[in-house]
Amino acid sequence: EPAWTLDTELVLADAENTSDDTATAELREAEGADVDRDEDAESAADGPVDAATEPGRVGQRISLQVYKVVITDSAGTEFVAAATLDRTGPVRDPGSGMTAYAGPRGELSLSDAEASLLVEAVHLERGGRPRLHLSGHAGGDLQGVRLALVGRRQELTVALTVDGDSWQATIDLHQSQWGGPALLPRAGSYTLRAVREIGTQVRVACAMSLIARTPEQLDVPESRLRLEVGRGRTLRLRVGVTRAADELGSFHQRRLEDQYLGKEVAQPAQKSIYFESFYGRLATCNPYALDRVIARDHPDWTRYWGVTDLSVAVPEGATPVVEGTTAWFEARTTSSIVIGNDWFRRRFQPQPHQTVLQTWHGSMFKRIGLDRPAVRASTRQALLTERDKWDILLSQNHHSTEIFGTSYAWNGPVYEEGYPRNDPLATDSGEAIRERLGLRPDQRVVLYAPTWRDDVPGLVVFLDLARLAADLGEDYVILLRGHSRTVGHGGSVHQRGVIDVTTYPSITELFLVSDVLVTDYSSVMFDYSVTRRPMIFFVPDLDSYSDEVRGVYFDLAELAPGPLVTSHDEVVAAICGIDDWTSYAERYGEWVRTFNSHDDGHSSERVVSRLFLDHSRSHPPGLEPR
């Protein structure tokens, strides 16, 4: 029973029903009380996982108590009261703290929010550092409230100032992530949200004047930004892929494909290199390591990086080209050398003047390519079509070299030189990285890096991270690293004692700061071993994964340089016992000899030297295209 009464005027819209003097009105808890929840698949509503376990995160979803007014006539027919508040904005009763407003479907809604923010004005500040300036009416106690634009995997911080019953906020549209350069947000939808330090949500809604002017395109160079009002009158920023007007849509994309990929099109060779990592979602891995050596040893070569959008930070001195733009097609077609760590897919056709190096992105425990069970004929054809685009394959070890021969039916050149991305593991320390991540010098760091599953679209976390953090205590911190294929599913994890580093650009840097790795079937097992630090294999689904899901190349129980565990308690015990790893010393040594014999800190230099030599031999100056 609410400890307050409703004093309002109800006007029946249907005159035929006004004679029913037995109609009663009641307050009823609204279904789905969290009325600010967005329906957009890319919105923050699909975001923070288990966020409510740690206060102070803006992306948390803690529902408010929301009521609607229901009128029931003598026949038992129910009518939901509508509101005219769309024209006047929310009304707050100082005594009860209740706020009345028009709900997402125009119904009269009342919530027990202790505070609220009404967005009345949005102004864009143009220039080299574009900003959004917001202002409006403030209601209730807003002390300690934090404001942010919350997306699926990224939050934009907002500087909030409250002065009596008004508030102002500033949002830099170029912001740094993980200590990198200030860039545009990644493509997607961002919702303005507010939360108290204890985790309770503060309602943020748009005034009618703002609703009337949206959607509104924002004039920011090299971007496609749009203001929108979402369900529950929330303010949203939509970030689109940066393309020009003549590059948008299927018609223009087909036109560019015909122009650059047509059989009769001959593009001139340029003294440039095109890099791509994980389909342009990142600028990392083996291509990044090779870029650094090429920039040092061949500074006269132009370096292009294919990226999905301008939120991807590329190496210093390199030029980003956004997927689907004219510049992207041109860089892929005219560059003399092409380097990637995954499939280049349909919209890449190697040219006669090019040398294409496929670096791949990990040695193999789980089966890949044609070695997988029940490969369909269409999959086989797509795989062989992709394989035929490569000139050279990079292999970390002899184990991988042999697998490429069967999984991709590869009989071309192989550089068996170790992995360039692992060079820092033999030479660098992680002190600066620990500081960037906010890790205490005395904390032990547990890196949990599970792989993806063919039969599950999102991140697979068999461990109860909240329980694990509690069992380990304050002297430990858990870094959660999801596979790159899971980034587009779900949102970041916000829990005490856990840092979600799924979007951190370099997993190699995470190796450097961690004291122990917990993984399952991920290829990180072949990279982390360069550090010679303890590894724990948490494999509760080993039998089904090996026999039904993917299949594997060897018996992990026979070769693993660390314990195979299947329960939470076993994981905790193994982590607490990493100071005594002598029982695995012999196995670890054999593992390193088998898989890391070339990972000596100089792989990048050897690969670049061989690549440029082979390219010059097959494409000497003045030679007609092959």
Side-chain angles (χ1 to χ4, degrees):
E1 292 291 336
W4 41 265
T5 59
L6 174 68
D7 183 12
T8 186
E9 179 182 358
L10 299 178
V11 179
L12 296 180
D14 188 350
E16 294 181 1
N17 291 331
T18 57
S19 60
D20 190 348
D21 57 5
T22 62
T24 59
E26 64 174 321
L27 289 167
R28 186 176 300 173
E29 185 176 353
E31 295 180 5
D34 190 358
V35 295
D36 287 346
R37 194 170 182 85
D38 295 319
E39 293 175 323
D40 190 328
E42 293 183 346
S43 74
D46 299 313
V49 179
D50 295 328
T53 59
E54 180 182 359
R57 296 283 190 172
V58 177
Q60 291 176 341
R61 310 299 304 136
I62 297 181
S63 300
L64 305 174
Q65 191 75 20
V66 179
Y67 297 91
K68 60 183 177 181
V69 178
V70 179
I71 298 95
T72 307
D73 64 15
S74 56
T77 304
E78 295 183 347
F79 303 88
V80 177
T84 62
L85 294 173
D86 272 332
R87 295 189 292 272
T88 60
V91 177
R92 186 174 186 276
D93 174 37
S96 66
M98 292 297 296
T99 300
Y101 56 92
R105 299 173 184 83
E107 72 275 14
L108 175 61
S109 298
L110 300 102
S111 74
D112 59 355
E114 298 176 354
S116 63
L117 294 172
L118 180 64
V119 187
E120 296 176 314
V122 178
H123 168 69
L124 172 65
E125 178 185 342
R126 296 175 176 84
R129 189 180 178 185
R131 298 175 175 176
L132 284 178
H133 297 280
L134 283 59
S135 61
H137 178 79
D141 180 12
L142 291 164
Q143 185 175 0
V145 168
R146 293 181 59 242
L147 199 61
L149 275 172
V150 181
R152 181 186 290 279
R153 289 285 187 175
Q154 185 176 354
E155 287 186 10
L156 304 183
T157 58
V158 180
L160 173 66
T161 303
V162 179
D163 184 10
D165 62 355
S166 64
W167 64 276
Q168 294 181 337
T170 301
I171 308 171
D172 282 316
L173 295 178
H174 289 179
Q175 294 198 12
S176 171
Q177 297 294 314
W178 301 111
L183 301 170
L184 284 167
R186 66 175 63 215
S189 181
Y190 297 78
T191 303
L192 188 65
R193 300 201 183 279
V195 71
R196 295 184 181 280
E197 292 179 354
I198 60 172
T200 55
Q201 179 187 338
V202 172
R203 177 175 171 77
V204 182
C206 294
M208 279 303 298
S209 58
L210 190 56
I211 295 174
R213 61 181 265 201
T214 55
E216 178 181 328
Q217 207 74 23
L218 300 178
D219 183 17
V220 176
E222 296 187 328
S223 69
R224 290 174 56 233
L225 306 178
R226 187 173 68 215
L227 281 180
E228 299 177 345
V229 174
R231 184 180 176 185
R233 294 166 59 158
T234 53
L235 180 65
R236 285 200 252 166
L237 176 68
R238 174 80 62 174
V239 182
V241 177
T242 303
R243 291 177 184 165
D246 61 354
E247 298 167 340
L248 291 171
S250 58
F251 171 79
H252 288 300
Q253 287 299 296
R254 285 195 299 270
R255 175 182 59 79
L256 289 168
E257 290 176 12
D258 291 341
Q259 178 180 346
Y260 286 96
L261 305 181
K263 294 181 180 179
E264 310 227 343
V265 177
Q267 299 293 339
Q270 302 294 329
K271 196 175 183 179
S272 61
I273 303 175
Y274 173 82
F275 295 88
E276 188 173 288
S277 178
F278 299 113
Y279 310 123
R281 293 192 294 261
L282 296 167
T284 57
C285 194
N286 292 317
Y288 174 85
L290 296 177
D291 174 285
R292 296 294 75 203
V293 173
I294 292 171
R296 183 194 69 194
D297 296 348
H298 303 275
D300 54 332
W301 282 68
T302 302
R303 293 172 291 113
Y304 295 107
W305 274 86
V307 296
T308 54
D309 58 55
L310 291 179
S311 71
V312 180
V314 302
E316 184 179 357
T319 301
V321 286
V322 175
E323 179 183 358
T325 62
T326 302
W328 181 75
F329 277 103
E330 188 164 329
R332 282 180 140 213
T333 307
T334 64
S335 292
S336 296
I337 297 176
V338 175
I339 299 174
N341 73 344
D342 212 324
W343 285 26
F344 293 101
R345 300 186 290 189
R346 179 182 63 84
R347 298 206 290 179
F348 173 69
Q349 183 62 46
Q351 300 298 308
H353 59 261
Q354 290 179 329
T355 298
V356 180
L357 171 64
Q358 172 59 259
T359 73
W360 208 241
H361 49 272
S363 289
M364 305 84 172
F365 170 68
K366 52 183 179 285
R367 291 186 174 272
I368 65 169
L370 300 176
D371 291 343
R372 291 175 297 174
V375 176
R376 296 193 300 265
S378 59
T379 301
R380 176 182 177 84
Q381 184 56 53
L383 185 148
L384 296 178
T385 299
E386 173 67 26
R387 177 208 62 185
D388 290 343
K389 298 176 181 180
W390 311 337
D391 294 308
I392 305 164
L393 256 173
L394 175 63
S395 170
Q396 184 183 12
N397 44 54
H398 190 65
H399 163 79
S400 299
T401 302
E402 291 186 328
I403 288 173
F404 281 131
T406 58
S407 63
Y408 276 86
W410 180 262
N411 57 9
V414 176
Y415 290 174
E416 191 177 301
E417 297 286 3
Y419 265 170
R421 69 184 184 192
N422 291 337
D423 286 349
L425 298 179
T427 58
D428 295 358
S429 70
E431 293 181 9
I433 306 162
R434 289 183 68 100
E435 184 176 347
R436 184 184 310 158
L437 292 172
L439 307 176
R440 298 199 320 264
D442 61 321
Q443 273 186 313
R444 288 203 156 178
V445 180
V446 179
L447 177 60
Y448 178 38
T451 192
W452 63 291
R453 301 296 196 275
D454 298 66
D455 54 347
V456 179
L459 176 64
V460 176
V461 180
F462 287 114
L463 281 174
D464 183 337
L465 296 179
R467 180 184 168 196
L468 180 62
D471 288 348
L472 293 175
E474 296 293 331
D475 292 335
Y476 290 81
V477 63
I478 302 167
L479 302 183
L480 172 64
R481 176 71 172 197
H483 192 278
S484 62
R485 293 199 178 199
T486 69
V487 172
H489 302 275
S492 299
V493 172
H494 292 156
Q495 289 182 342
R496 189 178 302 278
V498 179
I499 302 176
D500 191 333
V501 290
T502 299
T503 61
Y504 191 86
S506 171
I507 193 171
T508 304
E509 293 185 354
L510 301 179
F511 293 158
L512 286 171
V513 302
S514 60
D515 296 290
V516 57
L517 170 70
V518 179
T519 188
D520 43 21
Y521 322 112
S522 171
S523 64
V524 297
M525 66 176 76
F526 302 104
D527 302 309
Y528 194 78
S529 52
V530 178
T531 69
R532 310 301 200 272
R533 297 172 190 170
M535 289 193 286
I536 299 166
F537 298 86
F538 180 54
V539 289
D541 61 338
L542 177 59
D543 291 340
S544 62
Y545 188 87
S546 301
D547 300 333
E548 302 170 17
V549 176
R550 174 59 79 100
V552 298
Y553 285 110
F554 58 85
D555 187 344
L556 189 61
E558 291 184 1
L559 300 182
L564 271 63
V565 297
T566 59
S567 71
H568 175 94
D569 291 342
E570 288 177 318
V571 172
V572 173
I575 293 173
C576 294
I578 62 174
D579 287 332
D580 183 13
W581 218 249
T582 55
S583 59
Y584 294 99
E586 184 176 344
R587 270 196 178 193
Y588 214 129
E590 183 60 32
W591 179 281
V592 170
R593 285 189 291 273
T594 302
F595 300 113
N596 302 121
S597 60
H598 302 298
D599 292 312
D600 57 359
H602 300 284
S603 172
S604 299
E605 296 170 346
R606 292 194 299 270
V607 172
V608 169
S609 177
R610 291 184 66 175
L611 176 61
F612 272 74
L613 179 60
D614 286 345
H615 177 74
S616 65
R617 286 173 174 173
S618 59
H619 302 88
L623 182 68
E624 290 297 320
R626 52 182 178 173

